[in-house]
Amino acid sequence: MTTLKLAVAGAAGRMGRAITHVIMNTPGAEVAGGLEPKGSPFIGKDMGVLAGGGETGVCVSDDPLQLFTRIDGVIDFTTPETSVYLAELAAQARIIHVVGTTGFSPGQEKAFEAAARHARIVKAGNMSLGVNLLVALTRKVAALLGEDFDIEVLEMHHKHKVDAPSGTALMLGKAAAQGRETALEDAAVYCREGHTGPRPDGAIGFATLRGGSVVGDHTVIFAGPDERVELTHRAQSREIFARGAVRAALWAKDRPSGLYSMTDVLGLDSM
């Protein structure tokens, strides 16, 4: 079996180090490079040492153009601007781009669609197996319960997270809307303050909590007459996202160019 040569964007960050560690321990994958912005103190550092393991002989670079000529794919949990730039480079190089970044604008989303004409892009607001199962269950439960049940999406993350609601919360809200055969933009309520009046029928509400070192908690609440159903996922380690991202890269290895999601990777379309 040919080994998949993977680079890690944001190699020195918490997610980058977790991804490197998973690649180093995954059969069929190898660490082939890492990226950090120009001026980073981690340029030239060994990827294995950064990840808390032994030396790999592979060092962090600030030159994606050079790096993309010798890798099969890149795993990217960085910023929206960086991810869009890397998608363009991945399209030029005809390689795999696994994107775990969140917080994209509509225009940036279209850039991924364009890049996917030539690159194999797997993009998801959350890479974990459990969360993607939760998304599928949310869609199914929303369809079964109907509008007699009000839907609220509650999420909590560490205090350093910069976007809200989380990408995962938006995935869950979109799944709930799909279950009800409506568009999330027509149903979403992102903020409540002051005298809001009664809750609109069919609304999908969001609540955001931030604090401490919480990796990621998500609950979808279905509140109906005299009963309530709650679906919850709690992440205890960033490694669950890293494992999902590496699995996505290996899955995309023999796929044609296109824009994929973790639903495709995990085969959850039938749920």
Side-chain angles (χ1 to χ4, degrees):
M1 180 176 66
T2 305
T3 301
L4 194 67
K5 298 178 180 178
L6 295 173
V8 182
R14 289 170 293 183
M15 269 306 306
R17 296 179 195 226
I19 293 165
T20 300
H21 179 263
V22 170
I23 296 173
M24 292 172 65
N25 290 280
T26 299
E30 69 173 271
V31 178
L35 286 172
E36 278 288 304
K38 291 187 183 298
S40 167
F42 297 100
I43 302 300
K45 299 293 184 182
D46 188 277
M47 291 285 290
V49 174
L50 274 180
E55 291 190 5
T56 62
V58 177
C59 296
V60 178
S61 168
D62 61 2
D63 185 358
L65 291 175
Q66 191 276 334
L67 177 62
F68 276 38
T69 64
R70 54 184 176 83
I71 61 174
D72 300 312
V74 58
I75 299 178
D76 163 24
F77 286 68
T78 56
T79 66
E81 294 74 20
T82 298
S83 293
V84 168
Y85 172 61
L86 294 180
E88 294 169 355
L89 296 185
Q92 294 171 21
R94 303 313 201 253
I95 64 172
I96 297 163
H97 185 194
V98 177
V99 186
T101 309
T102 61
F104 296 105
S105 69
Q108 289 170 328
E109 295 285 4
K110 290 187 179 300
F112 285 105
E113 294 174 10
R117 290 198 289 266
H118 302 293
R120 287 153 283 167
I121 299 177
V122 182
K123 179 174 169 293
N126 193 299
M127 292 284 172
S128 95
L129 172 60
V131 162
N132 283 279
L133 178 58
L134 176 62
V135 169
L137 288 171
T138 296
R139 185 182 302 111
K140 186 72 170 180
V141 173
L144 289 171
L145 294 181
E147 292 198 6
D148 284 343
F149 284 73
D150 299 321
I151 301 175
E152 294 286 316
V153 181
L154 172 66
E155 60 104 340
M156 182 171 185
H157 284 81
H158 55 87
K159 64 182 181 181
H160 301 292
K161 186 168 179 61
V162 297
D163 58 311
S166 69
T168 302
L170 294 172
M171 285 173 61
L172 293 166
K174 184 176 181 180
Q178 289 171 340
R180 288 188 167 175
E181 299 182 349
T182 188
L184 180 60
E185 53 265 33
D186 295 332
V189 176
Y190 294 112
C191 181
R192 296 185 180 102
E193 182 180 6
H195 186 75
T196 61
R199 188 185 197 279
D201 290 339
I204 298 174
F206 291 82
T208 297
L209 306 177
R210 294 286 179 267
S213 58
V214 177
V215 175
D217 293 350
H218 294 87
T219 297
V220 184
I221 302 168
F222 297 87
D226 304 317
E227 59 181 332
R228 186 168 71 244
V229 177
E230 297 185 5
L231 304 177
T232 296
H233 178 273
R234 301 189 192 282
Q236 298 176 322
S237 166
R238 287 178 178 80
E239 195 157 302
I240 65 171
F241 312 125
R243 287 196 296 268
V246 174
R247 179 169 174 172
L250 291 168
W251 176 88
K253 180 179 178 181
D254 299 317
R255 296 302 189 280
S257 59
L259 183 59
Y260 302 99
S261 70
M262 286 300 288
T263 296
D264 300 308
V265 175
L266 301 173
L268 294 174
D269 282 324
S270 60
M271 288 193 65

